[in-house]
Amino acid sequence: MWRPRAELKGAYDVVVVGGGAHGLATAYELTKLGITNVAVLEKSYIGSGAAGRNTTILRSNYRTPEGARFYDASLKLYEQLAGELDFNLLFSQNGHLTLAHSDRSVFVMRERAEVNQLLGIDSRFIGPDEVRALAPAMQVHPDATYPIIGALYHPPGGIIRHDAVVWGYARAADAYGVHMHQQTEVTAIDVTDGQVTGVQTNRGLIGAPIVVNCTAGWSTLITDMAGVQTPIQTFPLQAAVTEPVRPFLDTVVVSGTLHVYVSQTDRGELVFGASVDPFASYSMRGSLDFVEGLAGHVLELMPPLHKMRLLRQWSGLCDMTPDYSPIMGPTPVKGFYVDVGWGTYGFKAGPVSGEAMAECIATQRTPEIISAFGLQRFTDGELVGEKGAAAVGH
Ligand code: PYC
């Protein structure tokens, strides 16, 4: 699908650090703007980090106008991405339900629905009868321990095959001349007089006037190398998948109160996720504690699943910012750009981030759509509070 190992040149116009959805989308979008002398450096294999570990949920029903507009632009790009990349991405756009189990969550969801509707995003608050019709396997009963009293319904939400997204972008970027270097780890970033001059790697030096940090999980280690500080803490996020069963769940179901989200893949497996682990760590080991809690919460929602067997569990790393919005754009070091701090939202934003970062680099101007997400906002106190739109309480 792409050249296994392109020649590592001594210099590129742009070096992208991170071979996930964001890094590859950025490289691909750069080529569309005529910048093709680009390298993507990936310390492991393409899609081995957050891009290949997330639970593949796409949605744009965010809480802030800045966030909702941004993620909606991404969703719209995802809708036509399979055609653009000529790669089947298995996008099942069958809707997304965020359950309300309390008056307070009804309030927050109604508020989100209003923000969404003002921006033209298909999102509305629905009552228990409609929830039952959309997800008949769910226990929508007033006597349940956590009764479902409504939901935020977002019809354009859904799931997409995450590794296909990565492979599709990688193939397209490669076809336009991008060099993808797997097993190539950045060990230092060279800065002279406040300007990036290149990166040092386990395979040698690479000169570049522009370096873009598109990593997730290790983003602070890369920004530190350039001498740029970001207010990010890294937490593990665990997930699990069951054996396949006949299709019974079309929509994505999320319960913040029960700290769980569930979807069914095209192959019939149920994919579950939960909150980030309660401690900052770079560990990617799964825990029994997580599976026990997860199983209990899933069964509260869907008791008939009690005989299903888990196939596998895994975890990834999430770079959490104080306001749950990303950090994107230029930094005080000239030529060093960041596309980081995605928390649990990164995969949804791959296409729009690629477009915005490529435009930012090519024009040397920050595109309007990411202007609220600059690093400077933490100094200016202009946060973009997106915690209220988190799938579950992190
Ligand atoms: O924000 O929808 C979401 C999400 C699901 C899993 C992680 N984040």
Side-chain angles (χ1 to χ4, degrees):
M1 296 228 289
W2 55 81
R3 285 163 290 180
R5 197 164 220 193
E7 163 214 3
L8 184 69
K9 296 200 296 188
Y12 290 91
D13 292 339
V14 180
V15 163
V16 177
V17 187
H22 285 244
L24 293 165
T26 300
Y28 167 70
E29 294 292 343
L30 281 168
T31 66
K32 284 165 64 181
L33 299 176
I35 302 175
T36 55
N37 186 21
V38 177
V40 175
L41 308 184
E42 167 53 53
K43 72 174 180 166
S44 180
Y45 58 90
I46 293 293
S48 55
R53 294 165 183 274
N54 65 80
T55 44
T56 80
I57 297 169
L58 302 186
R59 65 185 176 94
S60 64
N61 56 355
Y62 279 75
R63 165 69 186 76
T64 67
E66 295 87 349
R69 202 164 49 104
F70 175 75
Y71 290 98
D72 199 49
S74 205
L75 192 58
K76 292 205 163 72
L77 291 172
Y78 263 125
E79 284 169 357
Q80 45 89 47
L81 193 61
E84 175 163 349
L85 300 178
D86 191 20
F87 204 97
N88 186 357
L89 305 177
L90 297 169
F91 188 5
S92 301
Q93 208 167 9
N94 287 334
H96 182 286
L97 284 170
T98 312
L99 306 177
H101 303 271
S102 67
D103 291 344
R104 179 66 202 164
S105 44
V106 170
F107 176 83
V108 173
M109 280 168 210
R110 284 194 188 282
E111 203 180 23
R112 268 169 73 186
E114 276 183 36
V115 170
N116 295 167
Q117 285 164 20
L118 283 170
L119 292 164
I121 296 169
D122 191 358
S123 162
R124 62 194 160 88
F125 188 79
I126 60 173
D129 289 345
E130 232 180 309
V131 174
R132 193 179 291 110
L134 285 163
M138 206 153 53
Q139 177 172 232
V140 187
H141 194 283
D143 296 333
T145 313
Y146 299 98
I148 295 165
I149 56 181
L152 182 64
Y153 178 42
H154 179 43
I159 50 173
I160 195 165
R161 185 69 191 263
H162 52 357
D163 40 16
V165 170
V166 170
W167 297 333
Y169 269 127
R171 188 178 70 165
D174 177 73
Y176 284 113
V178 170
H179 283 191
M180 282 173 309
H181 298 294
Q182 304 184 72
Q183 310 298 336
T184 305
E185 182 166 3
V186 172
T187 53
I189 296 180
D190 296 329
V191 178
T192 306
D193 296 332
Q195 159 75 55
V196 158
T197 55
V199 296
Q200 298 179 35
T201 76
N202 58 337
R203 294 175 60 207
L205 294 182
I206 304 173
I210 294 176
V211 173
V212 197
N213 180 2
C214 289
T215 60
W218 297 273
S219 70
T220 52
L221 306 187
I222 301 294
T223 39
D224 278 356
M225 290 177 195
V228 172
Q229 299 297 307
T230 52
I232 287 175
Q233 270 197 304
T234 301
F235 293 79
L237 178 59
Q238 301 195 45
V241 63
T242 67
E243 60 188 342
V245 290
R246 249 185 286 167
F248 70 91
L249 184 64
D250 293 335
T251 57
V252 179
V253 173
V254 176
S255 167
T257 305
L258 291 168
H259 299 272
V260 71
Y261 31 93
V262 189
S263 64
Q264 187 169 25
T265 70
D266 292 332
R267 275 197 304 228
E269 304 122 333
L270 294 183
V271 176
F272 304 119
S275 312
V276 295
D277 286 354
F279 42 81
S281 169
Y282 290 109
S283 163
M284 286 201 281
R285 288 182 68 105
S287 69
L288 182 60
D289 201 35
F290 160 75
V291 186
E292 279 182 345
L294 177 81
H297 291 150
V298 168
L299 294 181
E300 290 276 357
L301 282 181
M302 300 183 193
L305 300 191
H306 69 279
K307 285 195 179 147
M308 286 194 71
R309 285 174 295 197
L310 281 187
L311 205 60
R312 195 156 45 84
Q313 70 181 105
W314 69 95
S315 83
L317 297 177
C318 298
D319 289 337
M320 312 298 289
T321 60
D323 61 358
Y324 286 56
S325 286
I327 307 176
M328 300 181 76
T331 68
V333 173
K334 201 157 179 292
F336 182 64
Y337 291 79
V338 288
D339 171 24
V340 298
W342 287 99
T344 61
Y345 300 151
F347 181 64
K348 296 166 221 341
V352 72
S353 302
E355 252 190 22
M357 292 307 296
E359 185 184 334
C360 194
I361 291 160
T363 64
Q364 307 270 297
R365 279 194 304 272
T366 302
E368 216 278 313
I369 197 154
I370 60 165
S371 58
F373 302 141
L375 178 58
Q376 184 65 24
R377 77 177 184 277
F378 298 104
T379 309
D380 298 343
E382 290 177 357
L383 304 193
V384 187
E386 209 53 270
K387 184 168 183 167
V392 299
H394 298 294

